[in-house]
Amino acid sequence: MYWRYAVKRVIYAFLMYAVIIFVFSGLFNAVAETVMRSQIQEGIRAYAQGLVQADRRLSGEQVQAMAEARRQELLDQYGLNDPVFQRIIGRTIDTLFLRLGDSTIIRSSSGETDVWTIIAEAIPRTLLIFLTAMAIDIFLGIWLGLRKARKAGSVMDRVTDIGTMVVFGLPSWWLGMMAIMLFVFTVPLFPSSGMHSAPPPTSSLGYALDLLWHMTLPVLVLVILGFWGRAYLTRNIVLTTLQEDFIMSARARGLSERKILFGHTLRSAAPPIVTMSLLALLASVGGSLLFEGIFSWPGMGNLYWVAVSLNDVPVLMGDLAVSTGLYMMGLVILDLIYGFLDPRIKVSGKA
């Protein structure tokens, strides 16, 4: 039954997510504990100085003993006296239950240290730029791919194939830098970085237009990099479908090529095209470290880089956990949609 298939897929995804988070926790355990012990040591120094200032009659041995007792209390409080494996399991459980804690250095725009608040500010920014680019990319890629399939072997098809080979292999960071050199310094049409001007416009319309102006150049770069390859893959998928017997039968019945392409071919070729598009959308959730860094776009990728640079492990773990969770959630939804639309996928509960 379908509900068993759905439950099994959800359970498998959660178990895989738990394993990934366990690996992340193990990798970052030593760094996180080093940072935490350093913070505790700094707090103990301040605590000892406070004791001396509060009571001048305390001897050095008394202050040292009280400071050591406080240090052991903090070590027990944060579980640093527990075995290593137990600490990793504890951090994994906290992350799975979305207890991400507080950052050590990074702050939100309002000055808060809560990791959820920091990540909640970065996710919409990443989705704004990457989902906008992906929507344009998918539309242009499918449109061009259908035209290439209808005119396979034509001059337009061959020229766009060359364009695909040239553009598809370009690194996003390199094309981003070239775009900044051309459209910011040579021909100053767009700002080089950031989401808003300084200071940002006060009116709602001005604020929205300023945001649109700042995101145009990075969106343009992402679209140029993406839609060529999507058009090429769409062309090949549609061309393969055009060779099927039911297409020959439709042509024999006298249907127009336009009706055959959009009414029969595209419907049959839709599953792999939809899969390709959805996977691209899911991959964009975590942002791009280098791309967001080049344009100083304060999204998930840039947040990851800042967290690595500042050694802020709670934010780093939270960024990875949320990005991985959203990606796996999307894969489960895609899997369930396929299982609902195509009964062959869930025969005997196997994919």
Side-chain angles (χ1 to χ4, degrees):
M1 297 178 66
Y2 180 74
W3 69 270
R4 292 182 179 176
Y5 166 82
V7 170
K8 185 179 294 187
R9 285 296 184 268
V10 172
I11 293 175
Y12 284 166
F14 181 78
L15 292 176
M16 181 60 65
Y17 181 67
V19 171
I20 294 174
I21 295 301
F22 176 78
V23 173
F24 286 160
S25 299
L27 290 174
F28 296 123
N29 180 71
V31 179
E33 291 185 0
T34 301
V35 173
M36 193 173 297
R37 289 180 186 276
S38 299
Q39 292 177 339
I40 290 175
Q41 192 62 32
E42 292 177 1
I44 293 300
R45 291 196 190 99
Y47 175 73
Q49 292 176 0
L51 289 175
V52 173
Q53 293 175 359
D55 191 349
R56 299 286 183 177
R57 294 172 299 177
L58 292 175
S59 63
E61 291 78 7
Q62 290 176 318
V63 172
Q64 185 176 1
M66 296 173 69
E68 180 62 23
R70 177 58 178 168
R71 190 175 75 86
Q72 292 300 325
E73 179 183 346
L74 291 175
L75 291 176
D76 291 335
Q77 178 181 343
Y78 291 105
L80 295 178
N81 288 329
D82 298 331
V84 175
F85 185 77
Q86 183 177 342
R87 297 199 294 268
I88 295 176
I89 291 293
R91 184 170 289 109
T92 302
I93 294 174
D94 287 341
T95 304
L96 290 176
F97 283 93
L98 305 180
R99 297 192 294 262
L100 302 180
D102 296 327
S103 65
T104 55
I105 300 176
I106 300 175
R107 300 292 185 268
S108 67
S109 58
S110 59
E112 296 184 39
T113 60
D114 181 60
V115 174
W116 262 118
T117 303
I118 296 171
I119 293 177
E121 288 183 349
I123 290 178
R125 298 165 182 168
T126 289
L127 293 179
L128 176 64
I129 184 174
F130 281 94
L131 289 185
T132 302
M134 283 296 167
I136 301 173
D137 173 3
I138 291 170
F139 174 79
L140 292 178
I142 293 178
W143 173 79
L144 180 59
L146 291 176
R147 288 185 60 86
K148 287 166 60 66
R150 292 178 64 182
K151 299 180 180 180
S154 64
V155 175
M156 183 270 292
D157 184 34
R158 292 196 295 269
V159 170
T160 51
D161 282 347
I162 296 174
T164 301
M165 289 187 291
V166 172
V167 176
F168 193 67
L170 292 179
S172 61
W173 57 268
W174 183 85
L175 188 59
M177 293 176 64
M178 294 298 103
I180 291 175
M181 290 178 59
L182 178 61
F183 294 110
V184 175
F185 298 106
T186 305
V187 183
L189 296 178
F190 303 104
S192 62
S193 60
M195 287 183 62
H196 299 290
S197 302
T202 55
S203 65
S204 300
L205 179 60
Y207 189 87
L209 291 176
D210 185 65
L211 174 61
L212 182 63
W213 183 46
H214 279 75
M215 65 182 289
T216 299
L217 187 58
V219 167
L220 181 63
V221 172
L222 289 173
V223 170
I224 292 175
L225 285 172
F227 88 95
W228 291 95
R230 198 173 313 281
Y232 184 77
L233 293 174
T234 301
R235 168 197 180 274
N236 291 341
I237 293 170
V238 171
L239 276 181
T240 302
T241 307
L242 286 173
Q243 308 303 319
E244 299 289 342
D245 293 338
F246 69 92
I247 299 297
M248 303 296 183
S249 176
R251 284 174 174 158
R253 294 200 306 270
L255 297 179
S256 64
E257 283 296 321
R258 183 179 181 84
K259 189 170 184 179
I260 290 174
L261 183 64
F262 291 98
H264 294 75
T265 307
L266 188 58
R267 181 182 301 175
S268 300
I273 295 175
V274 170
T275 302
M276 175 179 63
S277 302
L278 288 179
L279 288 177
L281 289 174
L282 292 175
S284 68
V285 171
S288 173
L289 191 151
L290 291 177
F291 189 82
E292 290 186 357
I294 289 172
F295 288 98
S296 298
W297 191 265
M300 293 289 283
N302 195 46
L303 179 63
Y304 182 88
W305 171 250
V306 173
V308 170
S309 302
L310 298 178
N311 211 15
D312 199 325
V313 178
V315 175
L316 185 60
M317 276 292 299
D319 191 315
L320 289 172
V322 172
S323 300
T324 305
L326 291 175
Y327 185 79
M328 296 195 67
M329 187 185 303
L331 291 180
V332 170
I333 294 174
L334 182 62
D335 204 9
L336 295 181
I337 292 175
Y338 263 69
F340 180 77
L341 296 177
D342 191 349
R344 295 173 299 175
I345 293 180
K346 55 179 184 292
V347 172
S348 301
K350 297 180 180 179

